[in-house]
Amino acid sequence: MASVEKAPRAWQRMLSGRRLDLLDPSPLDVEISDIAHGLARVARWNGQTSGSHAFSVAQHSLMVEEIVGRLTEASPEIRLLALLHDAPEYVIGDMISPFKAAVGGGYKTVEARLEAAIHIRFGLPPALPAPLQALIKRADRISAYFEATELAGFEDREARAFFGPPRGISRDMLDVSPRPADEVQALFLARFEALEALRPPKRGG
């Protein structure tokens, strides 16, 4: 009798106990505690940064949310979207841009499905309107500029060529010092809860 091959496992077990299907993620399996824990332990720049600790995606996300708030009078919902802009990376990790380009569309498809599930879980729009996407991308590039010049060894001219000038934001406005994972995890969770508390009550809730 021929053996039946098992389909490869497509889910990951989280510390919360949830099993998140990476190819068909359900919003019901998304927990903010898992996101905060994971992002606080995923290193930006493949870990090639100065300091005693990695500069994590969670710390980057906090900085992007702060930049969005400095660039515009953003609502709590917009700031929450900024905080969660890299949330899929708690599952798939942080790929540097050159590798993303090499991998191509498959990565983007998985990332988009995860992002939609995360947004739905927290009552946010599954896909961002173009103007909001542009705002968060601008803040993301400003954060990348300061990370590159302060931590990753880029010269100013090189960082400006890749990420553009950080218009509207100066170095003294931001804390780019890498922090321990447990500390950043707590800061991320606290900021999420603060923004959630400022949002209007959900309908039917």
Side-chain angles (χ1 to χ4, degrees), residues 100-112:
K100 283 183 183 179
V103 170
Y107 174 89
K108 284 292 183 185
T109 300
V110 172
E111 184 180 46

Side-chain angles (χ1 to χ4, degrees), residues 3 28 39 41 44 56-57 59 68 75 92 98 113 118 120 127-129 136 139 148 150 153 165 184 202:
S3 61
L28 297 175
L39 294 186
R41 289 160 178 79
R44 294 269 292 169
S56 68
V57 174
Q59 193 167 352
V68 165
S75 68
I92 55 180
R113 287 175 182 167
I118 291 164
I120 292 168
L128 299 184
I136 293 175
E150 295 289 323
V184 177
K202 298 179 179 67

Side-chain angles (χ1 to χ4, degrees), residues 171-191:
R171 170 66 184 84
D172 62 320
M173 294 178 178
L174 303 170
D175 180 6
V176 198
S177 305
R179 296 174 179 268
D182 286 345
E183 181 181 333
V184 177
Q185 178 179 344
L187 289 169
F188 186 95
L189 275 173
R191 189 60 186 148

Side-chain angles (χ1 to χ4, degrees), residues 25-140:
S26 167
L28 297 175
D29 291 323
V30 173
E31 298 290 348
I32 192 60
S33 60
D34 294 328
I35 293 173
H37 183 94
L39 294 186
R41 289 160 178 79
V42 175
R44 294 269 292 169
W45 308 93
N46 277 346
Q48 296 299 307
T49 51
S50 59
S52 301
H53 305 282
F55 190 83
S56 68
V57 174
Q59 193 167 352
H60 163 78
S61 298
L62 285 161
M63 196 152 79
V64 169
E65 186 261 323
E66 181 180 354
I67 292 169
V68 165
R70 290 182 178 276
L71 291 175
T72 184
E73 290 290 332
S75 68
E77 180 168 292
I78 289 174
R79 295 187 70 145
L80 187 58
L81 285 163
L83 184 69
L84 295 172
H85 79 284
D86 276 340
E89 294 179 7
Y90 88 106
V91 176
I92 55 180
D94 179 40
M95 288 189 188
I96 60 173
S97 298
F99 194 55
K100 283 183 183 179
V103 170
Y107 174 89
K108 284 292 183 185
T109 300
V110 172
E111 184 180 46
R113 287 175 182 167
L114 284 164
E115 182 176 74
I118 291 164
H119 285 186
I120 292 168
R121 169 66 177 84
F122 301 119
L124 298 166
L128 299 184
L132 181 51
Q133 196 170 34
L135 171 64
I136 293 175
K137 186 63 178 176
R138 179 185 170 192
D140 184 62

